[in-house]
C-alpha cells in the first residue's frame, strides 16, 4: 500500500478525541488539498503532497482559481483564491522565493491604482459565486482582500514593489477604520500582526480593540448571544468571538480580551464540534458544495486555534 504520510485511524478510546473525530470528518468529506493539509498539520505528514495538491489550482497568470476559495466557483484567478493559496504556502513553510515572486506579479496585475486588491475581480462574471460577493465592473480596493495577503508576505519577509504600495494602503485603511464589520477588523489584525513598524502596529491595534469592544463586535458571553447583535446582512448565527480576532496567543488582538473572556471563547469553540466531527460554518450558505468544502477549512482552523492556545485536541 502506498505511504500517504498519515497513519491509520487509531482504535478507541482515542476515537473520542476532538482530533480523531475531525480526522474522520476530513477523510470523509474534504478535498484532497485539505486532506493533505490536515495530515501535515496534525499527523506529521510531509509538505510536498500539500504543495502538489495546491498546484492544481494555479493558473498561467500566476494567480489561483478553480474554487480554491469555495464561495467563488469557476477557473479564473481571483485575489481571494490567491490569498488562500498564500495561507497554505505559509502553513507549510514555502511562501517565498519564486513562488512569492510569481504571486506578486499576479497581484500587481489585478490591484487598483493605490495598490490594493479588490475582493472580486470582474473576470468572475459568468461563473457561479456566492450572492453576498457581487461582481462589479470597476471594483475598489478593499482591506478585506489586501490585509491578509500583505500580512502573510511580511511574515515571510517577502519584498516586492507591489508590496510597498499595498502596505501603504493597509496603513491608511486600518488607521481610518471607524464603524466597521468584524471581517474588516480580522483583516486589519492579519496585517498588523506582521507589519514591520511594530510601534505603529501596536498603537493601531489598541485603537481597534477599543472599537471592537465599544461596538460589541465580539460576543464576549457565548451564553447570551442575543446581547451581541449580528451586523446587517449577516446570517443570524454569524457572531464573532474573541478567538476569531486573536487566532493565536501571540496576536496583537489577544490584549483586547481578558483571560476569562478568552477562556469562554475557546470553550465555546471546542463545544461547536458537531457529531460528524466537523465544525459548522456560521456565514450564509448558498449551495451544498461550497458549504461542505468550507466546513473542512473551518475544522482545520478550529483545531489550529485550540492547539495554539494549549487546548487538548488529541
Amino acid at each position: 500500500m502506498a505511504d500517504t504520510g498519515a497513519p491509520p485511524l487509531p482504535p478507541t478510546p482515542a476515537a473520542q478525541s476532538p482530533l480523531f473525530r475531525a480526522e474522520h470528518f476530513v477523510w470523509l468529506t474534504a478535498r484532497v488539498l485539505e486532506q493533505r493539509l490536515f495530515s501535515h498539520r496534525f499527523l506529521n505528514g510531509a509538505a510536498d503532497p500539500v504543495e502538489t495538491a495546491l498546484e492544481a489550482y494555479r493558473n498561467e497568470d500566476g494567480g489561483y482559481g478553480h474554487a480554491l476559495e469555495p464561495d467563488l466557483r469557476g477557473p479564473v484567478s481571483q485575489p481571494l483564491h490567491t490569498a488562500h493559496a498564500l495561507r497554505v504556502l505559509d502553513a507549510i513553510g514555502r511562501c517565498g522565493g519564486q513562488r512569492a515572486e510569481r504571486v506578486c506579479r499576479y497581484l500587481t496585475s489585478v490591484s487598483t491604482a493605490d495598490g490594493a486588491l479588490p475582493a472580486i475581480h470582474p473576470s468572475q462574471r459568468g461563473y457561479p459565486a456566492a450572492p453576498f460577493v457581487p461582481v462589479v465592473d470597476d471594483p475598489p480596493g478593499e482591506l478585506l482582500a489586501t490585509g491578509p495577503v500583505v500580512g502573510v508576505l511580511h511574515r515571510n519577509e517577502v519584498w516586492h514593489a507591489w508590496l510597498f504600495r499595498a502596505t501603504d494602503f493597509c496603513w491608511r485603511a486600518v488607521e481610518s477604520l471607524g464603524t466597521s464589520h468584524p471581517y474588516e477588523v480580522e483583516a486589519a489584525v492579519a496585517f498588523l500582526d506582521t507589519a514591520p513598524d511594530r510601534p505603529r502596529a501596536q498603537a493601531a491595534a489598541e485603537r481597534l480593540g477599543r472599537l471592537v469592544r465599544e461596538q460589541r463586535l465580539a460576543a464576549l458571553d457565548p451564553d447570551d448571544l442575543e446581547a451581541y447583535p449580528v451586523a446587517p446582512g449577516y446570517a443570524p448565527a454569524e457572531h464573532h468571538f474573541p478567538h476569531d480576532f486573536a487566532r493565536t496567543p501571540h496576536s496583537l488582538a489577544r490584549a483586547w480580551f481578558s483571560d476569562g473572556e478568552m477562556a469562554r471563547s475557546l470553550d465555546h469553540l471546542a463545544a461547536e464540534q458537531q457529531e460528524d466531527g466537523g465544525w459548522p460554518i456560521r456565514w450564509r450558505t448558498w449551495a451544498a458544495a461550497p458549504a461542505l468544502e468550507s466546513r473542512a477549512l473551518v475544522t482545520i482552523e478550529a483545531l489550529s486555534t485550540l492547539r495554539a492556545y494549549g487546548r487538548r485536541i488529541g
Side-chain angles (χ1 to χ4, degrees):
M1 180 179 295
D3 182 6
T4 64
L9 297 179
T12 55
Q16 303 306 311
S17 73
L19 182 60
F20 179 91
R21 294 163 58 203
E23 186 180 355
H24 255 297
F25 176 78
V26 167
W27 295 135
L28 179 65
T29 68
R31 303 179 295 192
V32 171
L33 175 60
E34 281 71 52
Q35 291 177 13
R36 291 181 170 181
L37 184 60
F38 182 94
S39 178
H40 175 72
R41 283 196 174 182
F42 304 109
L43 305 175
N44 298 315
D48 282 348
V50 182
E51 187 168 10
T52 299
L54 180 63
E55 187 69 9
Y57 295 89
R58 188 167 67 87
N59 287 323
E60 292 289 334
D61 59 10
Y64 290 77
H66 307 280
L68 180 56
E69 186 65 34
D71 279 331
L72 299 179
R73 316 304 286 187
V76 295
S77 296
Q78 285 291 326
L80 292 180
H81 294 316
T82 306
H84 189 132
L86 286 173
R87 290 194 296 272
V88 172
L89 292 170
D90 181 45
I92 62 175
R94 298 189 175 180
C95 187
Q98 291 185 351
R99 298 177 185 87
E101 176 69 26
R102 189 169 57 219
V103 168
C104 285
R105 286 199 299 268
Y106 164 74
L107 297 174
T108 301
S109 72
V110 296
S111 64
T112 58
D114 54 6
L117 297 172
I120 308 296
H121 189 270
S123 60
Q124 183 65 34
R125 183 173 282 107
Y127 296 104
F132 46 84
V133 284
V135 181
V136 298
D137 288 332
D138 188 20
E142 295 190 21
L143 178 63
L144 184 68
T146 313
V149 168
V150 174
V152 168
L153 294 175
H154 279 311
R155 179 164 50 249
N156 288 273
E157 299 182 344
V158 172
W159 293 105
H160 187 275
W162 172 80
L163 189 56
F164 289 97
R165 292 190 300 132
T167 298
D168 288 341
F169 168 84
C170 288
W171 280 124
R172 292 193 301 271
V174 168
E175 293 175 338
S176 64
L177 277 181
T179 302
S180 183
H181 290 303
Y183 291 113
E184 285 183 301
V185 177
E186 290 180 21
V189 170
F191 165 70
L192 293 173
D193 276 347
T194 61
D197 189 339
R198 301 313 298 156
R200 187 177 181 182
Q202 181 72 45
E206 290 174 358
R207 189 186 73 85
L208 280 182
R210 292 192 294 270
L211 181 150
V212 166
R213 297 188 74 92
E214 290 168 2
Q215 299 188 6
R216 305 175 72 81
L217 299 182
L220 302 179
D221 184 359
D223 294 326
D224 187 21
L225 292 179
E226 292 185 359
Y228 301 91
V230 174
Y234 286 24
E238 203 167 351
H239 291 94
H240 290 248
F241 300 89
H243 66 262
D244 291 313
F245 298 103
R247 296 189 180 275
T248 77
H250 307 295
S251 173
L252 290 173
R254 174 62 184 87
W256 301 351
F257 310 106
S258 70
D259 290 347
E261 289 166 345
M262 185 57 69
R264 286 192 295 274
S265 181
L266 294 170
D267 288 344
H268 178 73
L269 176 62
E272 278 193 308
Q273 188 175 22
Q274 298 189 328
E275 187 174 349
D276 61 8
W279 267 260
I281 57 174
R282 298 196 297 267
W283 59 86
R284 281 184 289 159
T285 60
W286 60 283
L292 186 60
E293 292 169 1
S294 295
R295 284 195 66 203
L297 296 168
V298 169
T299 295
I300 292 172
E301 189 64 50
L303 289 170
S304 298
T305 298
L306 291 169
R307 184 171 66 178
Y309 279 93
R311 294 296 183 100
R312 178 185 174 275
I313 61 172

